[in-house]
Amino acid sequence: RGGGLCAMWSARQLRALRGVLGSAFSTCCRLEAMKAAAKGLPRVYVTRRLPPDGMTVLQHSGACHIDQWDSDDPVPREELIKKVAGAQGLYCLLTEKIDEEVLEAAGPNLKVVSTMSVGYDHLSLEELKKRGIRVGYTPDVLTEAVAELTVALLLATSRRLIEAAHEAKSGGWGTWKPLWMCGNGLTESTVGILGLGRDRKST
């Protein structure tokens, strides 16, 4: 019965509910921030809305207080520079360039920078090393996902799935034709993948 009730909700109602919940979450975060400040806990600035499981770990650790840019979109540069000031930890994504300007704004309290990404080109490692700031990243988190998408692209390309879907949607498909959109099968084919990195080996 609960599922049927949810199915009856309009998209507008769901958006409104999400807004209410988001507002409640933001209020909760502000209250927790005030409590944490009173306890003298280190502050960690999170630059994006993260998967719930990850945020739960941070919030329930009791070891720090979380200050978060609660949006699916990247934090504006000026907001990042403003909010990172005085933080002991910074949890960022690859969309944030952590360079000398950001580190200067953060000040001497910043002890660790973690990025939710495989790459770390957006981090100025030289500046971080100069300041003795530790760096964390997630090197293997996307290996299997990349391998799966590689196989999906191979199949979509060889069997012309994108073209066929377009024809079906635009009215180009009329009736079955023996040779139309057949593509090339992968069975008993030799497929070459350049490179032998983690992603290629997993594929």
Side-chain angles (χ1 to χ4, degrees):
R1 287 181 296 180
L5 178 61
C6 288
M8 293 171 60
W9 283 32
S10 68
R12 183 177 180 182
Q13 288 173 315
L14 290 173
R15 285 195 298 270
L17 177 61
R18 182 177 180 181
V20 171
L21 293 176
S23 177
F25 176 77
S26 298
T27 302
C28 180
C29 285
R30 286 194 295 271
L31 291 174
E32 289 300 320
M34 294 172 63
K35 293 178 182 178
K39 295 179 181 178
L41 293 176
R43 182 170 67 90
V44 175
Y45 184 58
V46 181
T47 65
R48 191 80 68 89
R49 184 179 295 153
L50 300 178
D53 290 349
M55 287 303 299
T56 298
V57 171
L58 288 175
Q59 291 163 352
H60 291 178
S61 69
C64 61
H65 121 65
I66 308 299
D67 189 5
Q68 182 185 27
W69 174 252
D70 190 23
S71 172
D72 291 328
D73 296 319
V75 59
R77 177 78 174 181
E78 58 273 17
E79 181 73 8
L80 170 62
I81 290 175
K82 174 184 174 183
K83 289 292 188 177
V84 77
Q88 283 80 16
L90 175 62
Y91 193 152
C92 65
L93 277 72
L94 51 81
T95 47
E96 285 79 59
K97 186 173 179 62
I98 309 303
D99 54 12
E100 183 179 6
E101 182 184 22
V102 172
L103 296 176
E104 283 291 334
N109 288 336
L110 188 62
K111 304 302 180 185
V112 61
V113 172
S114 290
T115 176
M116 194 176 77
S117 61
V118 174
Y120 43 82
D121 292 346
H122 57 298
L123 304 181
S124 178
L125 297 182
E126 183 177 346
E127 291 295 331
L128 289 163
K129 184 177 181 180
K130 185 190 303 183
R131 292 167 170 78
I133 299 172
R134 292 182 176 272
V135 175
Y137 72 120
T138 54
D140 295 316
V141 71
L142 294 177
T143 301
E144 293 180 356
V146 171
E148 291 171 359
L149 288 174
T150 300
V151 174
L153 289 171
L154 284 170
L155 289 169
T157 303
S158 64
R159 300 316 303 247
R160 303 178 67 179
L161 295 182
I162 305 301
E163 298 170 76
H166 173 73
E167 290 297 314
K169 293 176 181 178
S170 63
W173 178 79
T175 186
W176 177 76
K177 304 168 188 175
L179 301 179
W180 190 63
M181 290 289 174
C182 283
N184 299 304
L186 292 182
T187 303
E188 297 183 358
S189 297
T190 300
V191 179
I193 299 177
L194 298 178
L196 285 175
R198 291 190 303 267
D199 299 336
R200 279 74 170 187
K201 289 179 179 179
S202 183
T203 303

PDB file of all heavy atoms in Angstrom, residues 25-45 59 64-68 83:
ATOM      1  N   PHE A  25      17.793  18.907   6.531  1.00  0.00           N
ATOM      2  CA  PHE A  25      19.169  18.407   6.627  1.00  0.00           C
ATOM      3  C   PHE A  25      20.142  19.560   6.861  1.00  0.00           C
ATOM      4  O   PHE A  25      21.054  19.470   7.680  1.00  0.00           O
ATOM      5  CB  PHE A  25      19.533  17.651   5.352  1.00  0.00           C
ATOM      6  CG  PHE A  25      20.955  17.175   5.319  1.00  0.00           C
ATOM      7  CD1 PHE A  25      21.349  16.058   6.035  1.00  0.00           C
ATOM      8  CD2 PHE A  25      21.908  17.860   4.576  1.00  0.00           C
ATOM      9  CE1 PHE A  25      22.656  15.622   6.006  1.00  0.00           C
ATOM     10  CE2 PHE A  25      23.220  17.431   4.550  1.00  0.00           C
ATOM     11  CZ  PHE A  25      23.594  16.301   5.260  1.00  0.00           C
ATOM     12  N   SER A  26      19.934  20.661   6.113  1.00  0.00           N
ATOM     13  CA  SER A  26      20.810  21.822   6.270  1.00  0.00           C
ATOM     14  C   SER A  26      20.713  22.395   7.676  1.00  0.00           C
ATOM     15  O   SER A  26      21.716  22.762   8.291  1.00  0.00           O
ATOM     16  CB  SER A  26      20.443  22.895   5.240  1.00  0.00           C
ATOM     17  OG  SER A  26      20.634  22.418   3.930  1.00  0.00           O
ATOM     18  N   THR A  27      19.484  22.461   8.198  1.00  0.00           N
ATOM     19  CA  THR A  27      19.290  22.956   9.565  1.00  0.00           C
ATOM     20  C   THR A  27      19.989  22.055  10.572  1.00  0.00           C
ATOM     21  O   THR A  27      20.653  22.531  11.502  1.00  0.00           O
ATOM     22  CB  THR A  27      17.786  23.032   9.897  1.00  0.00           C
ATOM     23  OG1 THR A  27      17.147  23.887   8.956  1.00  0.00           O
ATOM     24  CG2 THR A  27      17.572  23.546  11.312  1.00  0.00           C
ATOM     25  N   CYS A  28      19.859  20.742  10.351  1.00  0.00           N
ATOM     26  CA  CYS A  28      20.510  19.771  11.233  1.00  0.00           C
ATOM     27  C   CYS A  28      22.022  19.948  11.198  1.00  0.00           C
ATOM     28  O   CYS A  28      22.683  19.911  12.234  1.00  0.00           O
ATOM     29  CB  CYS A  28      20.118  18.355  10.808  1.00  0.00           C
ATOM     30  SG  CYS A  28      20.870  17.064  11.830  1.00  0.00           S
ATOM     31  N   CYS A  29      22.548  20.161   9.986  1.00  0.00           N
ATOM     32  CA  CYS A  29      24.001  20.346   9.854  1.00  0.00           C
ATOM     33  C   CYS A  29      24.465  21.588  10.593  1.00  0.00           C
ATOM     34  O   CYS A  29      25.514  21.588  11.232  1.00  0.00           O
ATOM     35  CB  CYS A  29      24.378  20.443   8.372  1.00  0.00           C
ATOM     36  SG  CYS A  29      24.351  18.862   7.519  1.00  0.00           S
ATOM     37  N   ARG A  30      23.666  22.667  10.509  1.00  0.00           N
ATOM     38  CA  ARG A  30      24.048  23.895  11.212  1.00  0.00           C
ATOM     39  C   ARG A  30      24.038  23.696  12.723  1.00  0.00           C
ATOM     40  O   ARG A  30      24.921  24.178  13.437  1.00  0.00           O
ATOM     41  CB  ARG A  30      23.100  25.029  10.815  1.00  0.00           C
ATOM     42  CG  ARG A  30      23.327  25.588   9.421  1.00  0.00           C
ATOM     43  CD  ARG A  30      22.611  26.909   9.222  1.00  0.00           C
ATOM     44  NE  ARG A  30      21.177  26.773   9.276  1.00  0.00           N
ATOM     45  CZ  ARG A  30      20.415  26.514   8.222  1.00  0.00           C
ATOM     46  NH1 ARG A  30      20.970  26.339   7.036  1.00  0.00           N
ATOM     47  NH2 ARG A  30      19.102  26.422   8.342  1.00  0.00           N
ATOM     48  N   LEU A  31      23.037  22.965  13.220  1.00  0.00           N
ATOM     49  CA  LEU A  31      22.967  22.691  14.656  1.00  0.00           C
ATOM     50  C   LEU A  31      24.146  21.836  15.104  1.00  0.00           C
ATOM     51  O   LEU A  31      24.753  22.083  16.148  1.00  0.00           O
ATOM     52  CB  LEU A  31      21.647  21.993  14.989  1.00  0.00           C
ATOM     53  CG  LEU A  31      20.380  22.849  14.844  1.00  0.00           C
ATOM     54  CD1 LEU A  31      19.140  21.987  15.058  1.00  0.00           C
ATOM     55  CD2 LEU A  31      20.403  24.009  15.832  1.00  0.00           C
ATOM     56  N   GLU A  32      24.468  20.819  14.281  1.00  0.00           N
ATOM     57  CA  GLU A  32      25.598  19.962  14.618  1.00  0.00           C
ATOM     58  C   GLU A  32      26.902  20.750  14.579  1.00  0.00           C
ATOM     59  O   GLU A  32      27.812  20.520  15.372  1.00  0.00           O
ATOM     60  CB  GLU A  32      25.667  18.781  13.641  1.00  0.00           C
ATOM     61  CG  GLU A  32      24.556  17.762  13.819  1.00  0.00           C
ATOM     62  CD  GLU A  32      24.562  17.132  15.201  1.00  0.00           C
ATOM     63  OE1 GLU A  32      25.666  16.849  15.705  1.00  0.00           O
ATOM     64  OE2 GLU A  32      23.487  16.952  15.787  1.00  0.00           O
ATOM     65  N   ALA A  33      26.982  21.690  13.649  1.00  0.00           N
ATOM     66  CA  ALA A  33      28.180  22.524  13.548  1.00  0.00           C
ATOM     67  C   ALA A  33      28.362  23.361  14.804  1.00  0.00           C
ATOM     68  O   ALA A  33      29.469  23.513  15.321  1.00  0.00           O
ATOM     69  CB  ALA A  33      28.091  23.421  12.316  1.00  0.00           C
ATOM     70  N   MET A  34      27.250  23.898  15.298  1.00  0.00           N
ATOM     71  CA  MET A  34      27.319  24.700  16.525  1.00  0.00           C
ATOM     72  C   MET A  34      27.742  23.850  17.714  1.00  0.00           C
ATOM     73  O   MET A  34      28.561  24.265  18.542  1.00  0.00           O
ATOM     74  CB  MET A  34      25.953  25.332  16.787  1.00  0.00           C
ATOM     75  CG  MET A  34      25.539  26.368  15.744  1.00  0.00           C
ATOM     76  SD  MET A  34      23.826  26.938  15.922  1.00  0.00           S
ATOM     77  CE  MET A  34      23.898  27.704  17.535  1.00  0.00           C
ATOM     78  N   LYS A  35      27.205  22.617  17.796  1.00  0.00           N
ATOM     79  CA  LYS A  35      27.582  21.718  18.888  1.00  0.00           C
ATOM     80  C   LYS A  35      29.060  21.353  18.803  1.00  0.00           C
ATOM     81  O   LYS A  35      29.772  21.311  19.799  1.00  0.00           O
ATOM     82  CB  LYS A  35      26.737  20.446  18.839  1.00  0.00           C
ATOM     83  CG  LYS A  35      25.254  20.660  19.134  1.00  0.00           C
ATOM     84  CD  LYS A  35      24.494  19.346  19.006  1.00  0.00           C
ATOM     85  CE  LYS A  35      23.006  19.536  19.234  1.00  0.00           C
ATOM     86  NZ  LYS A  35      22.278  18.247  19.056  1.00  0.00           N
ATOM     87  N   ALA A  36      29.492  21.065  17.550  1.00  0.00           N
ATOM     88  CA  ALA A  36      30.883  20.652  17.359  1.00  0.00           C
ATOM     89  C   ALA A  36      31.841  21.793  17.695  1.00  0.00           C
ATOM     90  O   ALA A  36      32.897  21.578  18.284  1.00  0.00           O
ATOM     91  CB  ALA A  36      31.094  20.206  15.907  1.00  0.00           C
ATOM     92  N   ALA A  37      31.440  23.021  17.294  1.00  0.00           N
ATOM     93  CA  ALA A  37      32.284  24.170  17.595  1.00  0.00           C
ATOM     94  C   ALA A  37      32.433  24.342  19.098  1.00  0.00           C
ATOM     95  O   ALA A  37      33.510  24.683  19.603  1.00  0.00           O
ATOM     96  CB  ALA A  37      31.691  25.426  16.962  1.00  0.00           C
ATOM     97  N   ALA A  38      31.345  24.090  19.815  1.00  0.00           N
ATOM     98  CA  ALA A  38      31.377  24.211  21.273  1.00  0.00           C
ATOM     99  C   ALA A  38      32.303  23.161  21.879  1.00  0.00           C
ATOM    100  O   ALA A  38      32.952  23.393  22.893  1.00  0.00           O
ATOM    101  CB  ALA A  38      29.971  24.080  21.837  1.00  0.00           C
ATOM    102  N   LYS A  39      32.360  21.984  21.264  1.00  0.00           N
ATOM    103  CA  LYS A  39      33.218  20.910  21.766  1.00  0.00           C
ATOM    104  C   LYS A  39      34.667  21.055  21.306  1.00  0.00           C
ATOM    105  O   LYS A  39      35.538  20.320  21.757  1.00  0.00           O
ATOM    106  CB  LYS A  39      32.683  19.556  21.286  1.00  0.00           C
ATOM    107  CG  LYS A  39      31.321  19.184  21.849  1.00  0.00           C
ATOM    108  CD  LYS A  39      30.881  17.847  21.289  1.00  0.00           C
ATOM    109  CE  LYS A  39      29.499  17.461  21.810  1.00  0.00           C
ATOM    110  NZ  LYS A  39      29.043  16.166  21.221  1.00  0.00           N
ATOM    111  N   GLY A  40      34.906  21.959  20.369  1.00  0.00           N
ATOM    112  CA  GLY A  40      36.263  22.141  19.861  1.00  0.00           C
ATOM    113  C   GLY A  40      36.713  21.058  18.905  1.00  0.00           C
ATOM    114  O   GLY A  40      37.905  20.801  18.772  1.00  0.00           O
ATOM    115  N   LEU A  41      35.770  20.400  18.209  1.00  0.00           N
ATOM    116  CA  LEU A  41      36.123  19.353  17.262  1.00  0.00           C
ATOM    117  C   LEU A  41      36.710  19.953  15.993  1.00  0.00           C
ATOM    118  O   LEU A  41      36.358  21.064  15.591  1.00  0.00           O
ATOM    119  CB  LEU A  41      34.881  18.529  16.898  1.00  0.00           C
ATOM    120  CG  LEU A  41      34.269  17.676  18.003  1.00  0.00           C
ATOM    121  CD1 LEU A  41      33.005  17.004  17.495  1.00  0.00           C
ATOM    122  CD2 LEU A  41      35.258  16.637  18.504  1.00  0.00           C
ATOM    123  N   PRO A  42      37.620  19.237  15.326  1.00  0.00           N
ATOM    124  CA  PRO A  42      38.168  19.723  14.056  1.00  0.00           C
ATOM    125  C   PRO A  42      37.069  19.819  13.007  1.00  0.00           C
ATOM    126  O   PRO A  42      36.146  19.011  12.978  1.00  0.00           O
ATOM    127  CB  PRO A  42      39.208  18.668  13.688  1.00  0.00           C
ATOM    128  CG  PRO A  42      38.826  17.449  14.448  1.00  0.00           C
ATOM    129  CD  PRO A  42      38.196  17.938  15.714  1.00  0.00           C
ATOM    130  N   ARG A  43      37.184  20.798  12.131  1.00  0.00           N
ATOM    131  CA  ARG A  43      36.177  21.016  11.093  1.00  0.00           C
ATOM    132  C   ARG A  43      36.658  20.489   9.752  1.00  0.00           C
ATOM    133  O   ARG A  43      37.798  20.727   9.347  1.00  0.00           O
ATOM    134  CB  ARG A  43      35.861  22.512  10.970  1.00  0.00           C
ATOM    135  CG  ARG A  43      34.777  22.845   9.950  1.00  0.00           C
ATOM    136  CD  ARG A  43      34.353  24.302  10.066  1.00  0.00           C
ATOM    137  NE  ARG A  43      35.413  25.214   9.680  1.00  0.00           N
ATOM    138  CZ  ARG A  43      35.602  25.657   8.431  1.00  0.00           C
ATOM    139  NH1 ARG A  43      34.783  25.245   7.451  1.00  0.00           N
ATOM    140  NH2 ARG A  43      36.573  26.494   8.168  1.00  0.00           N
ATOM    141  N   VAL A  44      35.781  19.753   9.080  1.00  0.00           N
ATOM    142  CA  VAL A  44      36.067  19.218   7.745  1.00  0.00           C
ATOM    143  C   VAL A  44      35.100  19.856   6.761  1.00  0.00           C
ATOM    144  O   VAL A  44      33.879  19.788   6.953  1.00  0.00           O
ATOM    145  CB  VAL A  44      35.917  17.686   7.706  1.00  0.00           C
ATOM    146  CG1 VAL A  44      36.104  17.166   6.279  1.00  0.00           C
ATOM    147  CG2 VAL A  44      36.914  17.020   8.646  1.00  0.00           C
ATOM    148  N   TYR A  45      35.649  20.466   5.716  1.00  0.00           N
ATOM    149  CA  TYR A  45      34.794  21.074   4.700  1.00  0.00           C
ATOM    150  C   TYR A  45      34.641  20.098   3.535  1.00  0.00           C
ATOM    151  O   TYR A  45      35.626  19.646   2.956  1.00  0.00           O
ATOM    152  CB  TYR A  45      35.366  22.398   4.208  1.00  0.00           C
ATOM    153  CG  TYR A  45      34.449  23.080   3.219  1.00  0.00           C
ATOM    154  CD1 TYR A  45      33.143  23.406   3.576  1.00  0.00           C
ATOM    155  CD2 TYR A  45      34.872  23.377   1.933  1.00  0.00           C
ATOM    156  CE1 TYR A  45      32.289  24.019   2.680  1.00  0.00           C
ATOM    157  CE2 TYR A  45      34.021  23.989   1.031  1.00  0.00           C
ATOM    158  CZ  TYR A  45      32.730  24.305   1.400  1.00  0.00           C
ATOM    159  OH  TYR A  45      31.880  24.901   0.507  1.00  0.00           O
ATOM    160  N   GLN A  59      29.469  11.706   9.730  1.00  0.00           N
ATOM    161  CA  GLN A  59      28.628  12.334  10.742  1.00  0.00           C
ATOM    162  C   GLN A  59      28.583  11.552  12.044  1.00  0.00           C
ATOM    163  O   GLN A  59      28.482  12.134  13.120  1.00  0.00           O
ATOM    164  CB  GLN A  59      27.207  12.514  10.189  1.00  0.00           C
ATOM    165  CG  GLN A  59      27.127  13.564   9.087  1.00  0.00           C
ATOM    166  CD  GLN A  59      25.853  13.459   8.279  1.00  0.00           C
ATOM    167  OE1 GLN A  59      25.084  12.519   8.420  1.00  0.00           O
ATOM    168  NE2 GLN A  59      25.626  14.411   7.392  1.00  0.00           N
ATOM    169  N   CYS A  64      34.747  14.754  14.211  1.00  0.00           N
ATOM    170  CA  CYS A  64      34.863  16.029  13.526  1.00  0.00           C
ATOM    171  C   CYS A  64      33.474  16.606  13.280  1.00  0.00           C
ATOM    172  O   CYS A  64      32.470  15.919  13.424  1.00  0.00           O
ATOM    173  CB  CYS A  64      35.604  15.874  12.197  1.00  0.00           C
ATOM    174  SG  CYS A  64      34.771  14.755  11.035  1.00  0.00           S
ATOM    175  N   HIS A  65      33.449  17.857  12.902  1.00  0.00           N
ATOM    176  CA  HIS A  65      32.186  18.476  12.526  1.00  0.00           C
ATOM    177  C   HIS A  65      32.239  18.766  11.024  1.00  0.00           C
ATOM    178  O   HIS A  65      33.261  19.193  10.479  1.00  0.00           O
ATOM    179  CB  HIS A  65      31.930  19.708  13.391  1.00  0.00           C
ATOM    180  CG  HIS A  65      31.778  20.991  12.660  1.00  0.00           C
ATOM    181  ND1 HIS A  65      30.748  21.250  11.799  1.00  0.00           N
ATOM    182  CD2 HIS A  65      32.524  22.137  12.704  1.00  0.00           C
ATOM    183  CE1 HIS A  65      30.860  22.488  11.332  1.00  0.00           C
ATOM    184  NE2 HIS A  65      31.922  23.020  11.867  1.00  0.00           N
ATOM    185  N   ILE A  66      31.125  18.503  10.322  1.00  0.00           N
ATOM    186  CA  ILE A  66      31.074  18.586   8.870  1.00  0.00           C
ATOM    187  C   ILE A  66      30.450  19.901   8.448  1.00  0.00           C
ATOM    188  O   ILE A  66      29.360  20.264   8.883  1.00  0.00           O
ATOM    189  CB  ILE A  66      30.255  17.422   8.263  1.00  0.00           C
ATOM    190  CG1 ILE A  66      30.759  16.084   8.792  1.00  0.00           C
ATOM    191  CG2 ILE A  66      30.298  17.480   6.743  1.00  0.00           C
ATOM    192  CD1 ILE A  66      32.196  15.796   8.466  1.00  0.00           C
ATOM    193  N   ASP A  67      31.157  20.617   7.581  1.00  0.00           N
ATOM    194  CA  ASP A  67      30.632  21.811   6.933  1.00  0.00           C
ATOM    195  C   ASP A  67      30.574  21.475   5.447  1.00  0.00           C
ATOM    196  O   ASP A  67      31.611  21.194   4.838  1.00  0.00           O
ATOM    197  CB  ASP A  67      31.553  22.999   7.209  1.00  0.00           C
ATOM    198  CG  ASP A  67      30.947  24.311   6.759  1.00  0.00           C
ATOM    199  OD1 ASP A  67      29.780  24.311   6.318  1.00  0.00           O
ATOM    200  OD2 ASP A  67      31.645  25.347   6.853  1.00  0.00           O
ATOM    201  N   GLN A  68      29.373  21.478   4.853  1.00  0.00           N
ATOM    202  CA  GLN A  68      29.204  20.914   3.511  1.00  0.00           C
ATOM    203  C   GLN A  68      28.547  21.884   2.539  1.00  0.00           C
ATOM    204  O   GLN A  68      27.619  22.609   2.884  1.00  0.00           O
ATOM    205  CB  GLN A  68      28.350  19.645   3.587  1.00  0.00           C
ATOM    206  CG  GLN A  68      28.152  18.937   2.257  1.00  0.00           C
ATOM    207  CD  GLN A  68      27.198  17.767   2.389  1.00  0.00           C
ATOM    208  OE1 GLN A  68      26.335  17.754   3.265  1.00  0.00           O
ATOM    209  NE2 GLN A  68      27.339  16.775   1.534  1.00  0.00           N
ATOM    210  N   LYS A  83      34.958  29.153   2.638  1.00  0.00           N
ATOM    211  CA  LYS A  83      34.602  28.120   3.601  1.00  0.00           C
ATOM    212  C   LYS A  83      35.794  27.286   4.070  1.00  0.00           C
ATOM    213  O   LYS A  83      35.760  26.694   5.155  1.00  0.00           O
ATOM    214  CB  LYS A  83      33.553  27.188   2.998  1.00  0.00           C
ATOM    215  CG  LYS A  83      32.185  27.818   2.832  1.00  0.00           C
ATOM    216  CD  LYS A  83      31.545  28.090   4.191  1.00  0.00           C
ATOM    217  CE  LYS A  83      30.113  28.538   4.034  1.00  0.00           C
ATOM    218  NZ  LYS A  83      29.458  28.741   5.351  1.00  0.00           N
TER     219      LYS A  83
END
